[in-house]
Amino acid sequence: MIRWGGEVVDAFIRAGESRDALDAWCLHLNRLIDDLGGVDGSRQGGAREPIELRSASKGPFRRAARCARDERFTTFHHTRRYRGDEDLASPPDAGSFERERLEVIRVQRDELDAVETFANVLFDLEGAPFELQMLLARFIWDEARHSETGQQSLERLGYDPFEVPCGVIGIHVRSPLPPLLSFAQINTFGELNQVGHLKKIAAEAYRAGDLSTGRAIDFIHADEMLHVREGRRWLARLVEESGTSLAEIEEEARRRAIQRLHEEGVLGEDYGLDITPKDLAEMLGE
């Protein structure tokens, strides 16, 4: 699509030398509009067959279950707990606040997987009300800012952000899930379980005189409170329309998340279904 758009722009740029290319594009676009019934869709389409899309001959779209990251990142997918063998060590003289601050900032940087999750939900929820589509777009924008805030904060604290291992288990678990379950999973086991901790770290940062971290986490906390409140409101509405209950959807989301963790090799054959939402939040992050 980008390449096609570039060719259109090039045709207009070259129009000063020759109108042939520009006229060809105009004819092509006008034919497409006519075949679709005009700009407002009210006219009867032409007698000829609509122009076939290049993708029409391909099979149905199937999303890859595994994500991709910038090649400068080191990634890990066995957990979102930042205490594994490959993890980044805190400075030896770091206190509890410094360690918690580093972990919270890393969680924010790794919310790349929240961007992907909400984008998948937006794509997969066919026929979703416009207000919900706009809300999901807002969530995607917020999470992109959170991730960038985390990346910049790591650098401010003296780290090379690309050398800080990046957890990707959250998106690996959620990618294959139906949109309603994916939405329930990130809302229930992600955002709902982190808002209290974000408020605590923001307050501690202010007390420690770290105003940059305090303000950054404060804004993120406000965003996440909105996500929890509005996300659960829409989740309840979608669940009601599906003919089931919110409790049933949340339980199914929990069971499917555990199943995906088993498929990803995070949980062994003897994994139990008594894993709590808090356990899942620690494994998956947001």
Side-chain angles (χ1 to χ4, degrees), residues 64-78:
R66 310 189 76 78
C67 70
R69 289 287 177 267
D70 187 303
E71 61 184 11
R72 289 172 290 178
F73 280 123
T74 298
T75 61
F76 62 99
H77 72 277
H78 61 281

Side-chain angles (χ1 to χ4, degrees), residues 80 82 103-111 113-114 118 142-143 146 174 186-202 217 220-225 227-228 277-278 281-282 284-286:
R80 270 289 286 270
Y82 299 108
E103 182 166 331
V104 165
I105 287 172
R106 293 183 66 180
V107 168
Q108 302 315 310
R109 192 280 307 275
D110 289 1
E111 284 189 351
D113 67 4
F118 286 123
D142 289 344
E143 301 297 358
H146 300 174
R174 290 188 287 261
I186 193 170
N187 181 274
T188 304
F189 310 135
E191 295 169 318
L192 190 60
N193 277 278
Q194 75 159 325
V195 287
H197 191 57
L198 287 171
K199 184 177 181 180
K200 170 178 174 288
I201 294 300
I217 302 303
I220 291 171
H221 173 258
D223 285 341
E224 298 297 359
M225 288 295 293
H227 294 191
V228 169
K278 183 178 180 181
E282 290 181 353
L284 302 178
E286 191 195 33

Side-chain angles (χ1 to χ4, degrees), residues 243-285:
T244 185
S245 70
L246 185 58
E248 289 174 321
I249 287 294
E250 289 179 342
E251 173 60 17
E252 180 63 16
R254 185 185 72 89
R255 294 174 65 89
R256 289 289 295 275
I258 292 171
Q259 179 185 347
R260 286 289 299 131
L261 286 168
H262 171 58
E263 293 168 354
E264 288 291 323
V266 177
L267 299 175
E269 290 289 347
D270 58 344
Y271 71 96
L273 293 179
D274 56 347
I275 293 177
T276 67
K278 183 178 180 181
D279 295 331
L280 286 174
E282 290 181 353
M283 290 183 192
L284 302 178

